[in-house]
Every structure is written in structure tokens, then in C-alpha cells.
Amino acid sequence: MKLEELQTLDRRFLMQTYRRAPVEFVRGEGALLWDSEGKEYLDFLAGISVCSVGHCHPAVVEAVREQAGKLMHVSNLFYTEPMVRLGERLSQSSLGGRVFLSNSGTEANECAIKIARKHAHGRGIESPEIVSFERDFHGRTYGALAATPNLAQNEALGPMLPGFRSVPFDDDGALRDAVYEDTAAVMIEPIQGESGVYPLADETLLAARQACDESGALLILDEIQTGIGRTGSLWAYQQTPVRPDLLTSAKALGGGLPVGACVASEDVSEVLEAGDHGSTFAGGTVVSAAALAVLDLVDDPALLRRVRELGAGLRENLLAIDGVVEVRGRGLMLGVGLASGIDAAELGAGLLERGLIVNVPEPGTLRLLPPLTVDSAQIDRAVALIAESLLSYSPT
Ligand code: PLP
């Protein structure tokens, strides 16, 4: 089918909630993708930080094939080994408590919100409140949406869930002031991803931890984008001075399949009880097998060291390009700040034509999220393409 026909069908049969680039992808391998006309692309977006072990990693493909041929689904009324092993693996690699498996990031956050509210009710709080930072992104279901201040302003989708408030980004004083006895949780991203790759200062994270400890609130870190090795440690919080009470994961966890998780510390592992939460597909055998294969690949000190080294080299080479004014982020999660007058959307569209896939989260920023398995020649190629594009850039 020709691209134009696909576009016509898409417009006719799919709700128009996405702005898609005019490309149909048909195959992927490692950091490379091919479109329906055989053109090759270097993928520095990886499905928005999903394909972190590269497209169609043989170990993930094999795990999925084997499990799909054995048993795909039995419901959560029974035990299966991949699901329990995934819980064990996530718990032991982070907070040590219990895990609720979900199908997406927003659902992992819904679980965290439920735990925070129930925990608060247990402390006698009638109207618990959850505090986030402005420009945080936690998802699009109503609970997660209420904790996503920019999107929660969309009155056409109202009324929003009550019990949420936001404070200016990275403002430790405002955060301390906002946390009081009715606060159920502080729910934040250690590095804001969707809004343009903005890391929180360690002092702000420490202020959040301290404010939670003093008020009895829980600290929830949304590691849906930063987790699974993206920043050069399995979890981003491991490179900071704080440990959360709840951590949420998704995106790269399933290697391209939909799986999320809310991981609790031991102290809050028993808040949710039978009947409080559930999901038909969550913890399915195939996605759990895929996630275990991903964790086998990513939870590896050599790979994580390489992510830190490649990220440092990439940052340095980007900063040497004329037109790049700053590079934010950690590991292979980088936001490239462009000089004023450069339209990142236009630059991104030009890069796509040259065969490099990047993302434009805000007008002056390119976001780079290559697979963690990218090689240094591919990194050099991406830097060269960005440099060439900026050299020949003239605003339209
Ligand atoms: N939280 C963060 C930090 C995210 O980046 C995203 C997705 O971009 C989500 C939550 C929502 O995840 P999902 O799209 O899987 O529901």
C-alpha cells in the first residue's frame, strides 16, 4: 500500500490524536529503521525511549517467540512464572518491596496515586493531595493527567480529578511550602522528559525527600522515561542522593511490548489489598518474558558504563557544533538546546529527510534518545548529520 493510501485510511478510520511524520516504517534492527521505500534511518528516538536494546533485539525476539508458543494468557486469577520472576527482578534491582505490573506508564502511575491516597487515608487524611512540578508529564489517564499540569489545563476534558497541585519546576522552596500534613505524595520525574529534558537538581530531590519524611507523605519517582538504563544506571535515582518510596517504570521495560510497573519500598508494599486494583492483561506471560530478556541485557554494569561514556562523548561533540547552546540530561537522554532563531521542528524535519530520527519536545530543543546499544560510529554519524543540518540551516 502506498503512503498516500495509508494516510487516507488513517484519516478515515483512526482518531486524529497524533501528528505523524509522513513515513511508513516496515523493518528495524538495532539502531536502524527502514521505510516502505527501502530508505535507511538512524533512530535516535527509539520509539520515545522504548526500544532501548535496539529494534528487534534477538534475545527479546527469542523470549517472545518461545513464550508465545507456550502460553500467552491465563488471567490474574492464576500464577505464571514470568510474571512472578519479573516482580522479583524489579524489586531486587530497586526498592526491595512488592510490585504491581501494568500495561503502560500512565497505568503504573495510577497505581502509585492509589497507593499514595490509601496510605494517606490510613494516616487519617480526608482530602489527600499530590504535589508535582510544572511541566511534569505523568500520563494521560485522569489520575496521571491531573498530575500533568500542562495537560490538566485542557478544560474541554474537565472536570479534572481534585487533589493535585503543582509548583514551579525545580523550586525547592516552593516544594517545601506546598508539602503539608494533608500531602499524600510528591510525584515527580527525576529528569523531565516530555517537556524537553530538564534534570532536577540534587538539592531539590533532597528537599522533596525531606519534606515527605517530615510530613509523612510518600516520594514517588516517575522513572518511566529515565529508567531501564537510559541515564547510565538501571534507575536514575541511583545517581542521586535520594531513594523514593514508590518508583514507576514502563517504556523500555518491555523492549517494544506494552508493560509497566509500580515498585514499592517494603514500608508501603501492603497498602493495596485484594480488590483495590487490577487489570486483565497486566503481568501477561509474553510481555513479562520480554521484560526479563530486556533486564538481562540492560542490568549489566558494562552496558551501563558504556551508556555513561557514550553519553559524555555525545554531549561533548554536540556542544562543539555551531548553533548548539546547551546539552541537558544524563547518559543517553539528552536535550539539545539550539541558538535562538533556530526552529527545532524545521531542523527535526530536515534531519528526518537526511535519515536521522530525533524528537522535538519544545520549539528550541532536539531530544535524543538513541538505543543504549548504539555504537560509536552511529553516534558520530548522528553528530555529523546534526552539524551539517545546522550549517545549512536557514529559517523559512
Ligand atoms: N511518565 C513519563 C515520565 C513519561 O515520559 C510517559 C510517556 O511519555 C508516561 C509517564 C506515560 O506513559 P505511557 O505513554 O506508557 O502511558
Side-chain angles (χ1 to χ4, degrees):
M1 191 181 289
K2 287 217 159 22
L3 178 62
E4 294 72 33
E5 292 173 70
L6 268 188
Q7 289 174 310
T8 305
L9 286 178
D10 179 292
R11 272 194 300 276
R12 167 69 182 86
F13 292 112
L14 298 181
M15 292 189 195
Q16 298 295 292
T17 57
Y18 304 103
R19 283 186 207 95
R20 302 185 205 279
V23 184
E24 180 202 359
F25 286 114
V26 292
R27 192 162 72 83
E29 189 183 323
L32 300 176
L33 281 171
W34 287 269
D35 73 12
S36 48
E37 288 169 8
K39 179 174 161 184
E40 183 182 292
Y41 296 77
L42 187 51
D43 187 2
F44 266 46
L45 180 56
I48 320 187
S49 199
V50 167
C51 308
S52 288
V53 294
H55 293 279
C56 302
H57 191 290
V60 179
V61 171
E62 191 42 43
V64 168
R65 274 210 181 103
E66 196 192 325
Q67 187 58 50
K70 221 163 35 180
L71 180 68
M72 281 207 245
H73 182 82
V74 291
S75 88
N76 274 311
L77 301 177
F78 303 97
Y79 296 93
T80 64
E81 188 171 334
M83 163 179 77
V84 178
R85 287 220 173 284
L86 179 57
E88 175 189 34
R89 190 85 194 250
L90 287 166
S91 167
Q92 289 183 343
S93 71
S94 61
L95 307 182
R98 291 187 182 143
V99 175
F100 183 86
L101 296 171
S102 65
N103 310 289
S104 67
T106 196
E107 286 174 67
N109 284 336
E110 291 297 328
C111 178
I113 292 167
K114 269 196 184 174
I115 293 173
R117 284 183 158 189
K118 190 169 178 207
H119 182 257
H121 286 299
R123 293 188 288 124
I125 297 168
E126 271 177 31
S127 303
E129 199 172 79
I130 293 181
V131 183
S132 298
F133 280 120
E134 287 168 9
R135 297 186 323 189
D136 259 9
F137 185 92
H138 296 298
R140 290 174 180 275
T141 48
Y142 272 98
L145 184 64
T148 300
N150 285 5
L151 299 180
Q153 285 165 14
N154 186 347
E155 283 170 13
L157 301 178
M160 289 292 151
L161 208 62
F164 290 81
R165 79 154 79 179
S166 62
V167 295
F169 176 68
D170 210 13
D171 185 335
D172 54 338
L175 184 72
R176 276 182 217 277
D177 290 346
V179 176
Y180 67 119
E181 65 269 19
D182 280 2
T183 306
V186 171
M187 180 173 188
I188 49 183
E189 298 175 75
I191 302 175
Q192 288 187 333
E194 293 307 290
S195 64
V197 190
Y198 290 94
L200 276 180
D202 279 354
E203 302 79 70
T204 310
L205 283 164
L206 278 169
R209 180 68 274 177
Q210 199 184 3
C212 287
D213 290 343
E214 285 168 8
S215 66
L218 302 180
L219 178 61
I220 304 170
L221 286 188
D222 177 338
E223 291 243 25
I224 285 159
Q225 193 158 144
T226 55
I228 317 295
R230 176 54 58 195
T231 67
S233 46
L234 188 63
W235 308 106
Y237 83 84
Q238 291 165 331
Q239 292 181 66
T240 77
V242 303
R243 188 182 162 88
D245 302 297
L246 292 166
L247 170 157
T248 53
S249 175
K251 284 195 178 280
L253 179 58
L257 295 189
V259 53
C262 175
V263 187
S265 66
E266 281 188 43
D267 286 351
V268 289
S269 279
E270 293 178 13
V271 175
L272 290 187
E273 298 162 292
D276 281 337
H277 204 39
S279 160
T280 295
F281 289 117
T285 54
V286 178
V287 295
S288 297
L292 285 166
V294 167
L295 286 167
D296 277 344
L297 293 163
V298 174
D299 194 4
D300 166 9
L303 179 132
L304 295 169
R305 189 178 338 110
R306 214 172 142 272
V307 170
R308 294 194 294 275
E309 287 166 4
L310 287 176
L314 176 56
R315 173 193 298 268
E316 202 178 307
N317 291 336
L318 287 166
L319 279 170
I321 300 175
D322 241 8
V324 171
V325 292
E326 68 167 349
V327 179
R328 305 178 296 269
R330 206 169 291 144
L332 286 172
M333 176 176 184
L334 297 178
V336 184
L338 302 170
S340 72
I342 299 173
D343 178 351
E346 211 179 303
L347 194 73
L351 284 167
L352 185 67
E353 263 174 44
R354 288 171 194 257
L356 177 66
I357 303 169
V358 299
N359 171 251
V360 180
E362 60 175 354
T365 298
L366 296 181
R367 178 170 49 160
L368 305 184
L369 299 161
L372 309 181
T373 51
V374 67
D375 65 36
S376 45
Q378 290 168 328
I379 293 218
D380 291 346
R381 201 167 120 211
V383 171
L385 285 167
I386 294 171
E388 274 170 43
S389 294
L390 278 167
L391 200 62
S392 59
Y393 178 84
S394 54
T396 51

